[in-house]
C-alpha cells in the first residue's frame, strides 16, 4: 500500500512539513510510521459527546500500540435533544453532511493514511461512517456509548419520558413539581439516549455492517469496558493498514442487508433507513428504499427495546449485547455470515471466536428477565421486523413508520393540516387535536424545512395527552428514535417539491393500512388530479447560509436526503 502521508513527509521539499509536525512533539521515528486520524465529535453540546475526548486518548494509545502514529482532531455534533422542538432542529440532519465533509476535508488536507472514528449523538454516527466510505482508507468506527437510565419513583426513565411528560403536564395529569423531579433524574451520566433510539440503533448497525468490533455497541459510555473497547479499536487499525482493508471492501450490499435486518430485529429508529441509504450512496452500493420492505418481512423482531418495548441499552448489554442477536440470526440463516469485517475475518468467524460467557452466566441467573429482553427467533415478539415502508397516493416514492408496539394495523381519520412543526405543536399544546384526527405536518422535508426536522416534541406531547394510537400523524419531516405510535414520516416526494402532501385540505379523509402498505388521501382521482395541477409551493425559508446551501443541494428522503453537486455547472471543469 502506498501511504498518502508520504506525499507530505518524504524528501527535502517536505522539510517545512516535517518541521511543523516536530513542533507538536513528533520525531523522525513517529513520522516514519503511518499517520492515523483519530476523529471524535467531542463537545459540550450534549451528554452523548462530552466524554469523547477521554475515549480519543484511549484510541490513540491503541493506535500507538499498533505501531502507528495517531493525529487527533474533532468535528461538530448537534444535540438532537436540545435542538428538538424549535428552529434548531433544522440544523440536525444538515450536521450529518457537515460531519462527513469535515472529516473528508481534514483527512484529505493532511493526507492521513487511516481513520479511527469516535462519535456519540444521532447524526455523528452516520456522518462518520459516510466519510469513511467516501475516503475509502483503512477505517474503523467505535461508538461513544449509551447513557445510563435514570430512576424516578422506583422505575427506570429516559429522555423519552421527559418529552412525553410535557404532554402529560399540558393535559393536567402531572404537576409542575413532578415534571421537574423527572427532569432532574432522567439523564444521570454521559452517553447517548438510553433506549433503542437513533444513536443506539446506528451503533448496533455498525456491528452488523462490519465496521466496528464485535460487542462494541452496548457497553455504557462511562464503563471500563467502553475504555477497553476504544483502546482495542485503535489497536485494530494496524491490521487494517497492514492488509489494506478499506471500507468499500466491507460495505457490500450483503453488509447493508445485515444492517437492515439488525435495525428491524431490535425495533430500531426510522432514521436508520435514511442513514443507511446515505452511507450506501457513499459506498457506491445500489440500495433502494423498496429493499427495506422485503428485508423487513423476513426479519423477526426479537429485542424488547424502548420506545416500542420495555428495555434500554444497558439491559441489552447485560445479556450479551449485539453479538447475541447476530448469533441468533446467523444460526437461523437470516443474516449473511460470510461478509468481511474490520477484523479482516468474516462475521461468521468473529462470532465463532466471540466469548459469550457473560451472556450465558446472565441467562443462568436471570433466565426470566433475559427472555423478556431478548426473544428467540422461533418465538419472536413479532414474526416480521419493525421498520415498515408505505406507499400510496400520498407517498408515491415512499414513507416510513415504526410498527414496534403498535396494536392496530389500520387507521382512518380526518386531516388537521399544518405548514410547520411550530403551528402543529401549538395546536397540540392547546389540546385542539382530538381522537380520530390525522395531523398533517408538511413543508418540513429536506428542502422544505430545510433540514427535515424530527417531531418528537409533537409526537411525545400527543402520547403524553393519552391520544397515542387514537391520533395519527403524517409528515415529510422525520421522527426521533424515541417516537412511538401511528406516526408516518419521510413522506416522499415532499410538499416543497410538489409532493401530494401539499394538496391535503382540512377535513380530508385519510386512510392508513399497514397490511396493504398504503397511506392514501380518499378523494376522487379527478379531484386529486385537479388539486395537483394547482399546487403552489411556499418560498424558500432561508436565502443565505448553510441552511440555504443545503436546501439547494439536498435530495429526496427516499434517496437518504444526501446532498449532490449541481452538475450542470461542472461540465467545463477539467477532471
Amino acid at each position: 500500500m502506498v501511504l498518502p502521508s508520504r506525499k507530505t513527509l518524504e524528501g527535502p521539499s517536505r522539510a517545512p512539513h516535517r518541521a511543523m509536525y516536530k513542533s507538536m512533539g513528533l520525531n523522525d521515528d513517529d513520522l516514519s510510521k503511518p499517520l492515523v486520524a483519530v476523529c471524535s465529535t467531542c463537545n459540550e453540546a450534549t451528554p452523548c459527546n462530552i466524554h469523547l475526548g477521554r475515549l480519543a486518548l484511549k484510541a490513540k494509545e491503541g493506535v500507538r500500540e499498533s505501531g502507528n502514529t495517531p493525529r487527533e482532531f474533532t468535528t461538530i455534533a448537534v444535540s438532537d435533544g436540545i435542538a428538538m422542538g424549535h428552529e434548531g432542529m433544522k440544523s440536525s440532519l444538515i450536521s450529518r453532511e457537515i460531519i462527513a465533509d469535515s472529516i473528508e476535508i481534514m483527512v484529505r488536507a493532511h493526507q492521513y493514511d487511516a481513520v479511527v472514528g469516535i462519535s456519540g449523538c444521532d447524526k455523528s454516527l452516520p456522518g462518520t461512517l459516510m466519510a469513511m466510505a467516501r475516503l475509502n482508507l483503512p477505517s474503523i468506527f467505535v461508538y461513544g456509548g449509551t447513557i445510563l437510565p435514570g430512576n424516578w419513583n422506583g422505575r427506570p426513565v429516559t429522555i423519552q419520558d421527559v418529552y412525553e411528560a410535557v404532554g402529560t403536564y399540558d393535559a393536567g395529569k402531572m404537576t409542575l413539581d413532578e415534571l421537574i423531579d423527572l427532569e432532574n433524574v432522567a439523564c444521570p451520566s454521559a452517553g447517548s439516549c438510553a433506549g433503542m433510539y437513533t444513536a443506539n440503533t446506528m451503533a448496533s448497525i455498525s456491528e452488523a455492517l462490519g465496521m466496528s468490533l464485535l460487542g462494541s455497541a452496548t457497553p455504557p459510555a462511562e464503563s471500563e469496558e467502553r475504555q477497553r473497547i476504544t483502546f482495542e479499536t485503535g489497536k485494530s487499525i494496524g491490521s487494517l493498514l497492514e492488509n489494506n482493508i478499506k471500507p468499500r471492501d466491507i460495505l457490500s450490499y450483503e453488509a447493508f442487508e445485515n444492517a437492515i435486518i439488525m435495525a428491524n430485529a431490535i425495533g430500531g429508529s426510522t432514521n436508520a433507513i435514511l442513514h443507511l441509504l446515505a452511507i450506501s450512496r457513499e459506498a457506491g452500493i445500489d440500495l433502494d428504499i423498496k429493499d427495506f420492505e422485503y428485508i423487513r418481512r423476513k426479519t423477526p423482531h426479537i429485542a424488547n427495546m424502548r420506545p416500542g418495548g420495555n428495555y434500554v441499552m444497558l439491559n441489552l448489554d447485560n445479556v450479551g449485547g449485539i453479538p447475541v442477536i447476530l448469533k441468533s440470526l446467523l444460526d437461523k440463516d437470516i443474516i449473511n455470515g460470510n461478509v468481511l469485517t474490520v477484523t479482516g475475518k468474516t462475521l461468521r468467524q468473529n462470532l465463532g471466536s466471540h466469548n459469550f460467557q457473560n451472556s450465558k452466566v446472565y441467562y443462568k441467573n436471570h433466565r426470566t428477565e433475559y427472555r423478556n429482553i431478548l426473544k428467540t427467533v422461533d418465538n419472536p415478539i413479532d414474526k416480521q421486523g419493525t421498520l415498515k415502508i408505505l406507499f400510496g397516493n400520498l407517498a408515491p416514492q415512499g414513507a416510513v413508520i415504526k410498527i414496534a408496539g403498535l396494536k392496530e394495523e389500520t387507521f382512518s381519520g380526518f386531516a388537521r393540516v399544518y405548514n410547520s412543526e411550530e403551528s402543529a405543536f401549538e395546536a397540540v399544546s392547546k389540546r385542539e387535536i382530538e381522537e380520530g384526527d390525522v395531523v398533517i405536518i408538511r413543508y418540513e422535508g429536506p428542502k422544505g424545512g430545510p433540514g427535515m426536522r424530527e417531531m418528537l416534541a409533537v409526537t411525545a406531547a400527543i402520547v403524553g395527552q393519552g391520544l397515542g394510537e387514537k391520533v395519527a400523524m403524517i409528515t415529510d419531516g422525520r421522527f426521533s428514535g424515541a417516537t412511538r405510535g401511528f406516526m408516518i414520516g419521510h413522506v416522499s416526494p415532499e410538499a416543497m417539491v410538489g409532493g401530494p402532501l401539499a394538496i391535503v385540505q382540512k377535513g380530508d379523509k385519510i386512510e392508513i393500512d399497514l397490511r396493504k402498505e398504503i397511506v392514501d388521501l380518499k378523494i376522487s382521482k379527478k379531484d386529486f388530479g385537479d388539486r395537483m395541477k394547482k399546487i403552489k409551493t411556499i418560498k424558500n425559508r432561508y436565502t443565505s447560509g448553510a441552511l440555504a446551501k443545503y436546501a439547494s443541494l439536498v435530495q429526496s428522503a427516499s434517496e437518504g436526503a444526501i446532498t449532490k453537486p449541481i452538475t450542470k455547472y461542472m461540465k467545463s471543469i477539467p477532471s
Side-chain angles (χ1 to χ4, degrees):
M1 175 184 178
V2 178
L3 297 175
S5 63
R6 299 310 98 182
K7 299 174 188 175
T8 68
L9 293 173
E10 291 184 348
S13 66
R14 298 308 186 214
H17 305 64
R18 294 190 294 272
M20 296 195 76
Y21 276 116
K22 289 175 179 179
S23 76
M24 295 183 279
L26 272 63
N27 57 36
D28 287 327
D29 182 54
D30 298 322
L31 297 179
S32 70
K33 302 171 183 176
L35 300 187
V36 176
V38 176
C39 171
S40 83
T41 54
C42 179
N43 62 31
E44 292 186 335
T46 169
C48 314
N49 296 330
I50 196 166
H51 64 300
L52 297 188
R54 299 195 299 273
L55 292 184
L57 293 176
K58 296 301 292 186
K60 288 164 68 177
E61 289 178 18
V63 171
R64 290 191 192 95
E65 181 78 11
S66 74
N68 299 287
T69 299
R71 304 311 300 152
E72 182 182 357
F73 68 86
T74 61
T75 183
I76 69 161
V78 165
S79 169
D80 278 14
I82 295 171
M84 194 75 69
H86 53 85
E87 185 187 31
M89 179 47 70
K90 294 181 180 183
S91 298
S92 172
L93 187 57
I94 298 173
S95 76
R96 184 190 73 180
E97 313 307 304
I98 295 172
I99 290 163
D101 290 350
S102 61
I103 294 173
E104 176 196 359
I105 290 300
M106 284 294 289
V107 173
R108 288 195 194 280
H110 303 99
Q111 294 291 291
Y112 295 137
D113 302 310
V115 181
V116 176
I118 311 167
S119 56
C121 201
D122 294 7
K123 308 309 174 295
S124 60
L125 282 80
T128 300
L129 289 165
M130 287 165 67
M132 290 174 171
R134 188 185 300 175
L135 289 161
N136 203 33
L137 293 168
S139 301
I140 188 168
F141 175 80
V142 63
Y143 180 41
T146 184
I147 199 170
L148 298 174
N151 186 300
W152 187 61
N153 294 337
R155 69 180 180 92
V157 291
T158 72
I159 195 68
Q160 173 194 344
D161 295 284
V162 186
Y163 273 102
E164 292 181 2
V166 173
T168 306
Y169 170 76
D170 287 340
K173 299 176 182 178
M174 173 182 270
T175 68
L176 182 58
D177 285 344
E178 288 173 323
L179 179 61
I180 292 172
D181 285 344
L182 173 59
E183 163 195 330
N184 288 340
V185 300
C187 301
S189 69
S192 300
C193 299
M196 193 53 74
Y197 311 141
T198 303
N200 280 331
T201 298
M202 293 308 299
S204 304
I205 280 172
S206 73
E207 286 194 44
L209 277 173
M211 287 297 294
S212 297
L213 295 180
L214 210 58
S216 64
T218 56
E222 296 189 315
S223 65
E224 290 184 9
E225 181 64 6
R226 175 60 51 195
Q227 296 272 326
R228 186 195 69 78
I229 284 169
T230 307
F231 172 83
E232 292 297 330
T233 297
K235 185 177 176 181
S236 296
I237 199 67
S239 64
L240 287 168
L241 273 164
E242 183 179 347
N243 295 295
N244 196 24
I245 297 172
K246 300 175 182 178
R248 293 187 191 179
D249 300 323
I250 296 168
L251 295 172
S252 61
Y253 181 87
E254 292 76 15
F256 281 99
E257 190 171 24
N258 284 351
I260 296 168
I261 290 168
M262 176 58 65
N264 280 283
I266 60 178
S269 168
T270 52
N271 284 312
I273 296 170
L274 203 69
H275 298 326
L276 284 171
L277 285 166
I279 298 165
S280 73
R281 298 300 182 269
E282 299 290 359
I285 298 299
D286 186 19
L287 188 66
D288 188 272
I289 192 167
K290 293 179 181 178
D291 296 341
F292 286 81
E293 183 58 21
Y294 95 78
I295 295 168
R296 181 196 71 81
R297 291 175 193 161
K298 68 176 185 178
T299 304
H301 175 204
I302 59 175
N304 183 16
M305 305 295 290
R306 296 192 68 175
N310 301 318
Y311 294 93
V312 297
M313 201 68 157
L314 176 65
N315 302 123
L316 183 57
D317 187 60
N318 285 340
V319 300
I322 299 304
V324 176
I325 297 174
L326 288 168
K327 179 81 162 52
S328 300
L329 296 168
L330 181 64
D331 286 347
K332 297 293 183 178
D333 293 322
I334 295 170
I335 60 167
N336 188 321
N338 298 322
V339 293
L340 183 67
T341 72
V342 288
T343 64
K345 299 177 181 178
T346 66
L347 179 60
R348 187 186 307 276
Q349 289 171 324
N350 290 342
L351 288 168
S353 60
H354 185 73
N355 181 7
F356 289 95
Q357 188 59 36
N358 289 342
S359 56
K360 290 175 183 176
V361 170
Y362 194 96
Y363 179 74
K364 182 179 180 181
N365 295 334
H366 309 272
R367 182 171 178 172
T368 300
E369 186 185 11
Y370 184 103
R371 279 294 170 231
N372 286 338
I373 299 167
L374 276 183
K375 301 294 184 180
T376 65
V377 172
D378 293 329
N379 184 31
I381 298 167
D382 197 286
K383 292 180 180 179
Q384 294 187 343
T386 58
L387 299 180
K388 194 170 187 66
I389 308 298
L390 305 178
F391 290 91
N393 66 11
L394 276 180
Q397 293 177 3
V400 177
I401 183 171
K402 179 159 65 175
I403 60 175
L406 271 180
K407 297 179 179 66
E408 302 296 330
E409 292 186 303
T410 61
F411 191 99
S412 182
F414 299 94
R416 298 288 295 267
V417 182
Y418 304 94
N419 289 343
S420 70
E421 180 188 5
E422 286 84 357
S423 57
F425 185 72
E426 183 179 0
V428 174
S429 297
K430 291 179 178 178
R431 307 207 67 191
E432 294 174 2
I433 306 303
E434 300 174 352
E435 184 175 340
D437 284 344
V438 179
V439 178
I440 304 290
I441 307 179
R442 62 192 180 192
Y443 301 109
E444 288 288 6
K447 287 184 179 290
M452 204 181 175
R453 282 192 284 187
E454 291 181 356
M455 306 291 175
L456 179 59
V458 181
T459 60
I462 288 171
V463 171
Q465 288 180 11
L467 292 171
E469 294 184 34
K470 300 173 185 177
V471 166
M473 182 185 291
I474 303 172
T475 180
D476 49 13
R478 295 182 296 123
F479 296 125
S480 163
T483 292
R484 58 190 174 123
F486 243 111
M487 311 297 178
I488 297 171
H490 304 203
V491 172
S492 302
E494 61 176 294
M496 188 67 175
V497 299
L501 211 58
I503 70 171
V504 180
Q505 298 174 4
K506 182 179 179 180
D508 282 344
K509 187 175 182 180
I510 307 290
E511 183 177 290
I512 302 163
D513 193 322
L514 302 183
R515 295 167 301 190
K516 296 179 181 177
E517 299 168 0
I518 58 168
V519 50
D520 275 352
L521 172 62
K522 303 304 286 184
I523 59 176
S524 70
K525 288 184 179 180
K526 182 181 183 304
D527 287 346
F528 193 98
D530 288 345
R531 289 192 196 182
M532 288 296 290
K533 291 175 185 176
K534 297 176 183 177
I535 282 180
K536 293 181 180 179
T537 59
I538 64 170
K539 292 182 179 179
N540 292 327
R541 287 169 166 151
Y542 298 84
T543 57
S544 64
L547 274 67
K549 283 189 281 188
Y550 179 84
S552 71
L553 298 174
V554 71
Q555 306 299 299
S556 168
S558 62
E559 291 287 321
I562 58 170
T563 54
K564 284 186 178 180
I566 302 172
T567 54
K568 67 180 180 179
Y569 300 117
M570 298 177 68
K571 291 181 180 179
S572 62
I573 300 176
S575 60

